[in-house]
Amino acid sequence: MVTAVKETTVVRNDLDSALLVRAYRVMLLARATEDKLASLYRAGMIKGGVFLGKGQEALSTASSIFLQKGDIFGPLIRDQAGRLAFGDTVLDTFRTYLGSAKGPMRGRDGNIHRGRPREGYYAMISHLGALVPVVAGGLYARRLRGETGVVGVTSIGDGGTSTGAFHEGINLAAVEHLPLVVVIANNQYAYSTPNSRQFACADLLDKAAGYGIAGFKCDGTDPVASLETLQLAVQAAREGNGPQMVVATLLRLVGHGEHDDAGYVDAALRQANVGRDCLEVGATQLIGSDLATAEEIAAWTKEAQAEVEAALNIAQREKGPDPADEDWRAISTERLVDGHHDLEDE
Amino acid sequence: MVTAVKETTVVRNDLDSALLVRAYRVMLLARATEDKLASLYRAGMIKGGVFLGKGQEALSTASSIFLQKGDIFGPLIRDQAGRLAFGDTVLDTFRTYLGSAKGPMRGRDGNIHRGRPREGYYAMISHLGALVPVVAGGLYARRLRGETGVVGVTSIGDGGTSTGAFHEGINLAAVEHLPLVVVIANNQYAYSTPNSRQFACADLLDKAAGYGIAGFKCDGTDPVASLETLQLAVQAAREGNGPQMVVATLLRLVGHGEHDDAGYVDAALRQANVGRDCLEVGATQLIGSDLATAEEIAAWTKEAQAEVEAALNIAQREKGPDPADEDWRAISTERLVDGHHDLEDE
Amino acid sequence: MSVTYLEAIRAAQEKALTDDPRVFIYGQDVGAFGGAFKATKNLAAEFPGRVMDAPLSEDAIVGLAVGAAIEGARPIVEMQFADFSTVGFNQIVNQAATLYYRTEIPCPIVVRLPSGGTLGAGPFHSQSMEAVYAHYPGLVVMTPATVEDAYSMMLEAVAIDDPVIFCEHKLLYYHLKADKLPDTAQPVGKARIARAGRDATVVTYSAMLHESLQAAEDLVEDGWQIEVIDLRTVKPLDTDTILASVARTGRLLVVGEAWPWGGVNAEVISRVATEGFGLLDAAPMRLNARDTPVPYHPDLWAAHRPTASVIAARLRQLLTQ
Amino acid sequence: MSVTYLEAIRAAQEKALTDDPRVFIYGQDVGAFGGAFKATKNLAAEFPGRVMDAPLSEDAIVGLAVGAAIEGARPIVEMQFADFSTVGFNQIVNQAATLYYRTEIPCPIVVRLPSGGTLGAGPFHSQSMEAVYAHYPGLVVMTPATVEDAYSMMLEAVAIDDPVIFCEHKLLYYHLKADKLPDTAQPVGKARIARAGRDATVVTYSAMLHESLQAAEDLVEDGWQIEVIDLRTVKPLDTDTILASVARTGRLLVVGEAWPWGGVNAEVISRVATEGFGLLDAAPMRLNARDTPVPYHPDLWAAHRPTASVIAARLRQLLTQ
Ligand SMILES: Cc1ncc(C[n+]2csc(CCOP(=O)(O)OP(=O)(O)O)c2C)c(N)n1
Ligand SMILES: Cc1ncc(C[n+]2csc(CCOP(=O)(O)OP(=O)(O)O)c2C)c(N)n1
Ligand SMILES: [Mg+2]
Ligand SMILES: [Mg+2]
């Protein structure tokens, strides 16, 4: 059982530079995608809520970028970037928000509730914390089948740490010594609720010892720090050291959803380190390390925006599901469908 | 926020000797009551299960003996002793097991599911962990009413620490800075499940820091240590230092219920310190401190047994509830009772 | 001046806080933020210390309410969405609902459930859980369909000594309006004849009342007079009012937004069939949502739940049977 | 040689573990101890690493099962008592039950619920939760009443690709016996005519089947022939078999042990009233448990649930109506 708490520092050379660039371009793509979602929302073109991860792209990208084919990723609300890094596409993002029948959820579920579970990309339900034991269960089954070296990553917010599901899930993963990495994005608020009304521990990482698992913390506004930390955590899990908890500090730079102006966020936090935009931090890091020029970054941004436009163009032309074609059944075993559909004959 | 972890040592003089004697006599009474319950069970005179706290009397007594009128006590399965120390009676114990209409549960609920909530003595439901937020809620209401200096104590087992309810309840109590003492009786097993399949932390007390609350640990087989520890914890809560977690190590010296021979318990544990009988430890302590002689203890034991016999005699003569007299309603507002009782006219 | 369904709920909570010092509100984001739907707007400022943000812990929130109720308080807890009450489920059905029966201590808590489907809300922000709670002994389940009822029933929910599951329909929050808050109210537990009729009885509740009223209106041109009953509370269920209506009309359609298996509709039909069999001139009918999770896409959603036109069509069937 | 209902469940799990390497069992004390009721006795030793003690975490247990199912495993999870599934409720109704509809990935898990009342078990070790789960889309709810069904339906529960809530009745565990395990079985989803009759139909399931059969037997001396239908699964509900029986008898009594509001009984009567109204010669009747928590005292308990004599009395009423 590993219980050491490692505070990582920026050791830029540990990461290969191609990875840094790749991560940064995922962040850019996520930001461009979400900017577009925000304007679609404002234009009334998306039904239901839009929940963005602006400011959390670095951490989210880091969460999944070290995963390999066969690994499991269970993203949450603010993980547009991590989703893309794991193989989700901008097209499927728009398809899901717009309810395209061609999207992975076929109009049945929307927005952030998407995934392709068969590809290790789990689809969250809304209930916070509920995904933790599910990812643990995926890992459990893999191990039972004799697969080794598999890792599962899931993320959660400061608010989500207060759920019973989070507690039970991590504890179970610890007992089973599963290769699960839980990334806690401490963005200071759960909807409008500040950390002071959410937990009383000095540091969320203090929870790791209570589960007997390893803990890491990092500055979630810093792409390099986030990448380095997650690299260590994923590696530790892959090497058989059991669950790993990563606590990252940052701020969500948008509302809880696009309907929310986040007026409750303390202005001092916005000004503080925690309120930095990870995209700006990342740009400085890339330029400072001679991995990119400002012009290159501007070009990448344009490329990302173009990719987003192209995907949106496709998604917008796709049809939603046709209710008349739906078979309206919630189970797969056709002979066991309860034959009592009151709306059937209308 | 207090996060210090205090390991208590035996400082006998801190406790007044009358208290020690009183505690010991409660332990004796609890043991005598439970011995009788066990034989009633074996004789087939109790319907349903019998769940005893043999070996846990010292800790349980310590849990409630420092509480005052107006405090709240939310006992769990193994708290016969703590119940008695808080004001429950042997008579009500038997009444509840035997289903007497005069008992506090009037035959509607049985065995350990008893209480007198209006007197601060809460009645557990079976779902483990579920009582933690309820006791917190009682304290919350008291504070809202302006009452100060109130303390609430509740207890839970090693198994119960794995429940979401435990986690949510303690965390909420910590956020609200409530005067709640949670006593974790780590008796090494949850039913047949050993600690190794229950948690992976090095010590359950490692959880305290994760909630930002104070922690204490003690040898639950040692009456003096248990009393000293709980005295500190209750006092700290009363003084406004927020929730206190006490982790005590011990072994249940009976089966999970009387139907269970506890064959799964590791023989080495039975032989170890953790397997000591707290009544024997207490006797040695009392005699060694010149607070009692062996003869006195034998006389107290007899007295306890006599009290138990007398109570049983009364309870056995009392009637159970008469189904014909029951009003069969689950809410108090008569006009809102749903008037559809299918069994009504039989 | 007009007042919305949501404002009525807010006003009732404000009045309860004003009139009774034992009342407090506890729930996620209900404090300074005023709640996800603003049902507690400004209340935290008006009543310092009595309208508090809770941690993201539905089980503990309800547990806290039960403990506070034991000590004589009258907590109102808000679930952010009805759907999330599943993680506070145990405290509701096993702790709150059994307290009075077991201990004779009543449990005066109100659990507010923002319920029902809205556009694009999807499987986990659309559920109607009234039937699940009504199945359990020990709970009162209110399902107000009007601004007036939202107000007066919330006051009553706080006033009565038993746990109340208060199912407010999100679709009504902003759009449903009344001229003013009511001064008087029908007693809780009694259904209301929302529209008198002669030819058939529609029994319904919550948002489906409005679809049903629309359907009844649509049938006027064909000469049909449809009676529409708003249940108001689904537990207790006012069987007498339903039976009296069916005695007049001889025909019954029950309409609800929840899933079909064993919900309010099944209970209503079962009561009429068992207690008022002779009153029926034709087989009773029911309309529920379909037996799948509530879909996200607006077109699927529209086909998932009953609407006025579906109700009207079904009524025509019923009337010509 | 004879085999009990409990042994049948154990044997079916053993066979499932033997036949299908994807099957594993996870639950509190199911390992070396063999489970609180011994439904997994010796299985941990027989199938090392595939029958595991779980932490006291119902939510995580079900969550783990869903994750494992996504990866192609076929977990069986045991709740120690049905009543404790309330704390795993969210994972059952929102995670497991929605997975297929949302993602097209089936969720082949079995959740075993030791259900129903027994002597002195009280409010929290006696519950019958089948109606709560049946209300939710996405679940199959099995309620075996015989040793043969306990065995064959458990095999089927593991075999099908959807989440199954397997409600086993604790009262039947040790006392209900059969000569041997069955080789063949009626398909799951079909009800069974447990006793053929002519004068009235009793629809029932689980332990109440045996009370109902006894009542039917008691009425023979009066010359009545009662048909008794064992539902076997309550979701799906085999409406056809029920309607066919009512078509023959014209009279219907539904008997269940769960709470009255909106349970299996309401659903059955509602289906017959809506789809087979013309078949009924008299008002249908139902018998449920009373609408309170399940009481502890044996006398209260006996008066809380239907028994053979109450069923017989109600049948006499029905027959002379
Ligand atoms: C169990 C549960 N309760 C309530 C909600 C409603 N809700 C959605 S997001 C949210 C805040 C989440 O905060 P946090 O976990 O910190 O994540 P963040 O939004 O900050 O990324 C809440 C309360 C929910 N989804 N699940
Ligand atoms: C939520 C829940 N799940 C399962 C049970 C069944 N159960 C009753 S006692 C018990 C073991 C409890 O172990 P622990 O918490 O260590 O307390 P101990 O019995 O050792 O005192 C279990 C699993 C329960 N009561 N509640
Ligand atoms: Mg947050
Ligand atoms: Mg224990």
Side-chain angles (χ1 to χ4, degrees):
Chain A
M1 186 172 45
V2 182
T3 53
V5 173
K6 303 197 182 90
E7 288 237 22
T8 63
T9 45
V10 178
V11 192
R12 214 162 287 172
N13 296 338
D14 277 13
L15 290 170
D16 87 45
S17 46
L19 183 96
L20 270 182
V21 169
R22 184 152 63 85
Y24 191 77
R25 297 194 64 172
V26 169
M27 291 164 57
L28 280 174
L29 186 59
R31 178 70 59 91
T33 307
E34 293 202 334
D35 283 348
K36 182 56 73 180
L37 286 170
S39 58
L40 289 171
Y41 177 83
R42 282 192 301 274
M45 294 173 72
I46 291 176
K47 307 298 173 228
V50 168
F51 304 90
L52 306 181
K54 185 172 178 179
Q56 306 197 185
E57 294 92 342
L59 178 68
S60 182
T61 301
S63 298
S64 73
I65 206 163
F66 298 104
L67 297 181
Q68 307 164 351
K69 203 175 150 55
D71 285 340
I72 299 173
F73 183 49
L76 233 62
I77 314 181
R78 318 272 170 221
D79 279 319
Q80 178 63 36
R83 289 167 187 267
L84 293 173
F86 192 69
D88 192 8
T89 63
V90 180
L91 179 58
D92 274 354
T93 305
F94 287 128
R95 281 171 160 163
T96 307
Y97 271 96
L98 297 174
S100 159
K102 289 191 172 160
M105 312 311 280
R106 299 150 298 135
R108 294 182 174 189
D109 207 339
N111 49 61
I112 51 186
H113 300 94
R114 67 187 188 277
R116 293 191 181 271
R118 275 283 184 266
E119 295 164 23
Y121 172 27
Y122 287 10
M124 64 179 277
I125 66 169
S126 295
H127 301 69
L128 293 169
L131 198 53
V132 177
V134 175
V135 175
L139 296 168
Y140 187 89
R142 299 290 190 88
R143 185 170 66 192
L144 215 59
R145 265 208 314 254
E147 291 179 31
T148 53
V150 177
V151 172
V153 174
T154 190
S155 73
I156 194 139
D158 38 273
T161 65
S162 298
T163 62
F166 165 86
H167 172 73
E168 293 193 3
I170 294 201
N171 182 65
L172 178 144
V175 167
E176 300 295 357
H177 205 67
L178 293 168
L180 175 71
V181 179
V182 177
V183 181
I184 302 179
N186 179 2
N187 64 6
Q188 319 301 319
Y189 291 87
Y191 208 154
S192 76
T193 305
N195 282 352
S196 60
R197 292 288 303 164
Q198 197 66 248
F199 52 81
C201 49
D203 188 314
L204 281 174
L205 201 58
D206 294 343
K207 295 191 179 293
Y211 298 108
I213 64 177
F216 298 84
K217 58 200 276 189
C218 69
D219 177 348
T221 67
D222 178 337
V224 171
S226 298
L227 287 163
E228 284 181 339
T229 305
L230 263 298
Q231 189 175 40
L232 289 174
V234 169
Q235 193 177 319
R238 208 179 294 287
E239 285 168 357
N241 297 310
Q244 312 287 316
M245 179 182 286
V246 176
V247 176
T249 313
L250 71 182
L251 199 65
R252 115 169 101 63
L253 301 180
V254 280
H256 168 63
E258 283 307 284
H259 60 279
D260 168 29
D261 68 6
Y264 45 79
V265 172
D266 186 343
L269 283 176
R270 291 195 193 281
Q271 301 313 314
N273 190 68
V274 82
R276 297 190 300 179
D277 183 341
C278 60
L279 261 89
E280 288 171 23
V281 178
T284 312
Q285 289 174 331
L286 286 176
I287 295 166
S289 316
D290 289 331
L291 293 173
T293 63
E295 292 68 36
E296 278 173 307
I297 290 175
W300 295 343
T301 307
K302 282 237 169 73
E303 265 180 65
Q305 285 159 347
E307 183 177 342
V308 164
E309 285 301 337
L312 179 59
N313 264 332
I314 298 173
Q316 273 180 324
R317 261 184 261 122
E318 289 175 0
K319 288 215 186 81
D322 182 346
D325 290 346
E326 283 284 314
D327 56 1
W328 296 108
R329 59 189 167 91
I331 60 170
S332 69
T333 311
E334 202 152 353
R335 71 189 154 87
L336 293 183
V337 171
D338 193 23
H340 188 80
H341 290 302
D342 289 295
L343 287 175
E344 204 156 70
D345 21 311
E346 304 303 323
Chain B
M1 187 172 44
V2 182
T3 53
V5 173
K6 303 198 182 88
E7 287 239 23
T8 62
T9 46
V10 179
V11 192
R12 218 162 285 174
N13 296 338
D14 278 12
L15 290 171
D16 87 46
S17 45
L19 182 96
L20 271 182
V21 169
R22 184 153 62 87
Y24 192 75
R25 295 194 65 170
V26 169
M27 292 164 57
L28 279 175
L29 186 59
R31 178 69 59 91
T33 306
E34 293 201 335
D35 282 349
K36 182 57 72 179
L37 286 169
S39 59
L40 289 170
Y41 177 82
R42 280 190 303 273
M45 294 174 71
I46 291 175
K47 307 299 172 225
V50 168
F51 305 90
L52 305 182
K54 185 173 179 178
Q56 306 197 186
E57 293 92 342
L59 178 68
S60 182
T61 301
S63 298
S64 74
I65 205 162
F66 299 104
L67 297 181
Q68 307 164 353
K69 204 176 149 57
D71 285 339
I72 299 173
F73 183 49
L76 233 63
I77 314 181
R78 319 269 170 225
D79 279 319
Q80 179 63 35
R83 290 167 186 266
L84 294 174
F86 192 68
D88 191 9
T89 62
V90 180
L91 179 57
D92 273 355
T93 307
F94 287 128
R95 281 172 161 162
T96 307
Y97 271 96
L98 296 174
S100 159
K102 290 192 172 158
M105 312 311 279
R106 301 151 296 137
R108 294 181 174 189
D109 207 340
N111 49 62
I112 49 184
H113 300 95
R114 68 186 187 278
R116 294 192 180 269
R118 276 284 183 265
E119 296 164 23
Y121 172 28
Y122 287 10
M124 63 179 276
I125 66 168
S126 295
H127 301 70
L128 293 169
L131 198 54
V132 177
V134 175
V135 175
L139 295 169
Y140 187 88
R142 298 290 190 90
R143 186 170 65 192
L144 214 60
R145 265 208 315 254
E147 291 180 31
T148 54
V150 177
V151 173
V153 174
T154 190
S155 74
I156 194 139
D158 38 274
T161 65
S162 299
T163 61
F166 165 86
H167 171 72
E168 293 194 3
I170 294 201
N171 182 64
L172 178 145
V175 166
E176 301 294 357
H177 205 65
L178 293 168
L180 175 72
V181 179
V182 178
V183 180
I184 302 179
N186 179 1
N187 64 7
Q188 319 301 319
Y189 291 87
Y191 207 155
S192 76
T193 305
N195 282 352
S196 60
R197 293 289 302 165
Q198 197 66 249
F199 54 81
C201 50
D203 188 315
L204 281 174
L205 201 59
D206 294 343
K207 295 191 179 295
Y211 298 108
I213 64 176
F216 297 84
K217 58 200 276 189
C218 69
D219 177 349
T221 67
D222 178 337
V224 171
S226 299
L227 287 164
E228 284 182 338
T229 305
L230 264 298
Q231 189 175 39
L232 289 173
V234 169
Q235 193 177 318
R238 207 179 295 285
E239 287 168 356
N241 297 311
Q244 311 288 316
M245 179 182 287
V246 176
V247 176
T249 313
L250 71 182
L251 200 65
R252 119 168 98 65
L253 302 180
V254 280
H256 167 63
E258 283 307 283
H259 60 279
D260 168 29
D261 68 6
Y264 46 79
V265 172
D266 187 342
L269 283 175
R270 290 195 193 281
Q271 300 313 316
N273 190 68
V274 82
R276 295 189 300 178
D277 183 342
C278 59
L279 261 89
E280 288 171 22
V281 178
T284 311
Q285 288 174 330
L286 286 176
I287 295 167
S289 316
D290 289 330
L291 293 174
T293 63
E295 293 68 35
E296 280 174 305
I297 291 175
W300 296 343
T301 307
K302 282 236 168 74
E303 266 181 64
Q305 285 160 347
E307 183 177 342
V308 164
E309 285 301 336
L312 179 59
N313 264 333
I314 297 172
Q316 273 181 324
R317 261 183 261 121
E318 291 174 359
K319 288 213 185 81
D322 182 347
D325 290 344
E326 284 284 316
D327 56 2
W328 295 109
R329 59 190 166 91
I331 59 170
S332 70
T333 311
E334 202 151 353
R335 70 189 154 89
L336 293 182
V337 171
D338 193 25
H340 188 80
H341 290 303
D342 289 295
L343 286 176
E344 207 156 68
D345 21 311
E346 304 304 325
Chain C
M1 272 300 295
S2 75
V3 52
T4 66
Y5 182 91
L6 180 69
E7 284 160 0
I9 291 167
R10 187 201 159 281
Q13 293 186 90
E14 185 176 37
K15 182 165 162 52
L17 284 160
T18 305
D19 293 353
D20 190 340
R22 298 169 304 172
V23 175
F24 71 92
I25 299 181
Y26 203 77
Q28 290 150 21
D29 305 297
V30 299
F33 191 63
F37 296 98
K38 302 296 171 199
T40 57
K41 195 172 162 187
N42 294 334
L43 297 182
E46 255 184 81
F47 304 95
R50 292 172 62 198
V51 184
M52 298 297 287
D53 286 339
L56 221 159
S57 304
E58 282 77 3
D59 184 273
I61 289 170
V62 180
L64 174 135
V66 174
I70 289 173
E71 300 299 326
R74 303 184 92 82
I76 304 173
V77 307
E78 176 180 304
M79 296 282 133
Q80 204 149 77
F81 284 80
D83 318 50
F84 300 139
S85 71
T86 48
V87 284
F89 190 64
N90 183 56
Q91 296 284 1
I92 297 174
V93 304
N94 282 318
Q95 194 89 260
T98 67
L99 185 69
Y100 175 72
Y101 181 75
R102 295 172 65 233
T103 69
E104 294 188 288
I105 310 292
C107 186
I109 73 171
V110 179
V111 182
R112 290 185 41 233
L113 300 189
S115 302
T118 57
L119 205 66
F124 309 113
H125 291 75
S126 302
Q127 295 177 22
S128 299
M129 289 183 63
E130 59 276 0
V132 173
Y133 290 111
H135 182 61
Y136 280 87
L139 301 172
V140 171
V141 183
M142 302 188 181
T143 51
T146 66
V147 175
E148 292 78 1
D149 274 353
Y151 181 75
S152 62
M153 289 170 75
M154 172 55 72
L155 289 180
E156 185 92 8
V158 178
I160 66 170
D161 272 344
D162 295 295
V164 175
I165 307 301
F166 195 82
C167 304
E168 354 177 308
H169 204 294
K170 301 190 295 289
L171 201 62
L172 308 180
Y173 270 168
Y174 311 105
H175 301 304
L176 196 66
K177 290 182 182 141
D179 291 340
K180 59 176 183 57
L181 295 173
D183 304 316
T184 59
Q186 241 192 308
V188 160
K190 293 283 163 240
R192 181 176 67 96
I193 297 180
R195 178 188 178 109
R198 179 193 61 198
D199 302 316
T201 300
V202 175
V203 173
T204 187
Y205 61 102
S206 194
M208 283 295 142
L209 171 67
H210 305 284
E211 300 288 337
S212 300
L213 287 172
Q214 180 61 53
E217 191 59 36
D218 293 348
L219 263 68
V220 169
E221 56 179 310
D222 302 336
W224 297 115
Q225 293 180 23
I226 307 298
E227 182 144 306
V228 180
I229 293 183
D230 173 8
L231 287 174
R232 303 177 70 241
T233 66
V234 302
K235 190 163 191 185
L237 189 62
D238 179 2
T239 318
D240 292 345
T241 298
I242 300 169
L243 289 176
S245 174
V246 175
R248 287 190 294 275
T249 64
R251 282 163 209 268
L252 172 68
L253 170 66
V254 195
V255 182
E257 183 180 333
W259 292 305
W261 198 106
V264 175
N265 296 7
E267 184 60 27
V268 169
I269 290 186
S270 181
R271 290 199 189 186
V272 172
T274 54
E275 299 172 42
F277 186 67
L279 309 175
L280 288 163
D281 296 332
M285 290 182 159
R286 57 174 170 170
L287 278 171
N288 290 95
R290 293 184 193 264
D291 198 27
T292 70
V294 184
Y296 167 74
H297 194 287
D299 295 346
L300 290 183
W301 181 58
H304 184 265
R305 63 178 204 129
T307 53
S309 68
V310 170
I311 298 167
R314 187 58 63 97
L315 274 171
R316 288 199 171 86
Q317 253 180 275
L318 177 66
L319 288 160
T320 53
Q321 212 181 34
Chain D
M1 272 301 294
S2 75
V3 51
T4 66
Y5 182 92
L6 179 69
E7 286 160 0
I9 291 167
R10 187 201 160 281
Q13 293 186 89
E14 185 176 37
K15 183 165 161 54
L17 285 161
T18 305
D19 293 354
D20 189 340
R22 299 169 302 173
V23 175
F24 71 92
I25 299 180
Y26 203 76
Q28 291 150 21
D29 305 297
V30 300
F33 190 63
F37 296 98
K38 302 296 171 199
T40 57
K41 193 172 162 185
N42 294 334
L43 296 182
E46 255 183 82
F47 303 96
R50 292 173 62 198
V51 184
M52 297 297 286
D53 286 340
L56 221 159
S57 304
E58 281 79 3
D59 184 274
I61 289 169
V62 180
L64 174 135
V66 174
I70 289 172
E71 301 298 327
R74 303 185 93 81
I76 303 173
V77 307
E78 176 180 305
M79 296 281 134
Q80 204 149 78
F81 284 81
D83 318 50
F84 300 138
S85 71
T86 48
V87 284
F89 190 63
N90 184 56
Q91 297 284 0
I92 297 175
V93 304
N94 282 318
Q95 193 89 259
T98 68
L99 185 69
Y100 175 73
Y101 181 76
R102 295 172 64 233
T103 68
E104 294 187 287
I105 310 293
C107 186
I109 73 171
V110 180
V111 182
R112 289 184 41 233
L113 300 189
S115 301
T118 57
L119 204 66
F124 309 114
H125 292 76
S126 301
Q127 295 177 21
S128 299
M129 290 184 60
E130 59 276 0
V132 174
Y133 290 111
H135 182 61
Y136 280 88
L139 300 172
V140 171
V141 183
M142 302 188 181
T143 50
T146 66
V147 175
E148 292 79 1
D149 274 353
Y151 180 76
S152 62
M153 289 169 76
M154 172 56 70
L155 289 180
E156 185 93 8
V158 178
I160 66 170
D161 271 344
D162 295 296
V164 175
I165 308 300
F166 196 82
C167 304
E168 2 180 298
H169 204 295
K170 300 189 296 290
L171 200 63
L172 308 179
Y173 271 168
Y174 310 106
H175 302 302
L176 195 67
K177 290 183 182 143
D179 290 341
K180 60 176 183 58
L181 295 172
D183 305 317
T184 59
Q186 241 193 308
V188 160
K190 294 283 164 241
R192 182 177 65 97
I193 296 180
R195 178 189 178 108
R198 179 195 59 199
D199 302 315
T201 299
V202 175
V203 173
T204 187
Y205 61 102
S206 193
M208 283 296 142
L209 170 68
H210 306 284
E211 300 288 338
S212 300
L213 287 171
Q214 180 61 54
E217 190 60 35
D218 292 350
L219 262 69
V220 168
E221 54 179 310
D222 302 335
W224 298 115
Q225 293 179 23
I226 308 298
E227 182 145 306
V228 179
I229 294 184
D230 173 8
L231 287 174
R232 303 176 70 239
T233 67
V234 302
K235 190 164 189 184
L237 189 62
D238 179 3
T239 319
D240 291 344
T241 298
I242 299 169
L243 289 175
S245 174
V246 174
R248 286 191 294 274
T249 66
R251 281 163 210 267
L252 172 67
L253 170 66
V254 195
V255 181
E257 183 181 332
W259 291 306
W261 198 106
V264 175
N265 296 7
E267 184 61 26
V268 170
I269 290 187
S270 181
R271 292 200 188 184
V272 172
T274 54
E275 299 172 42
F277 186 67
L279 309 175
L280 287 163
D281 297 330
M285 289 183 160
R286 57 175 170 169
L287 278 171
N288 289 96
R290 293 184 195 261
D291 198 27
T292 70
V294 185
Y296 167 74
H297 194 287
D299 294 347
L300 290 183
W301 181 57
H304 184 266
R305 63 178 205 131
T307 53
S309 67
V310 170
I311 299 167
R314 188 57 65 97
L315 274 172
R316 287 199 173 87
Q317 255 179 272
L318 177 67
L319 288 160
T320 53
Q321 214 180 35

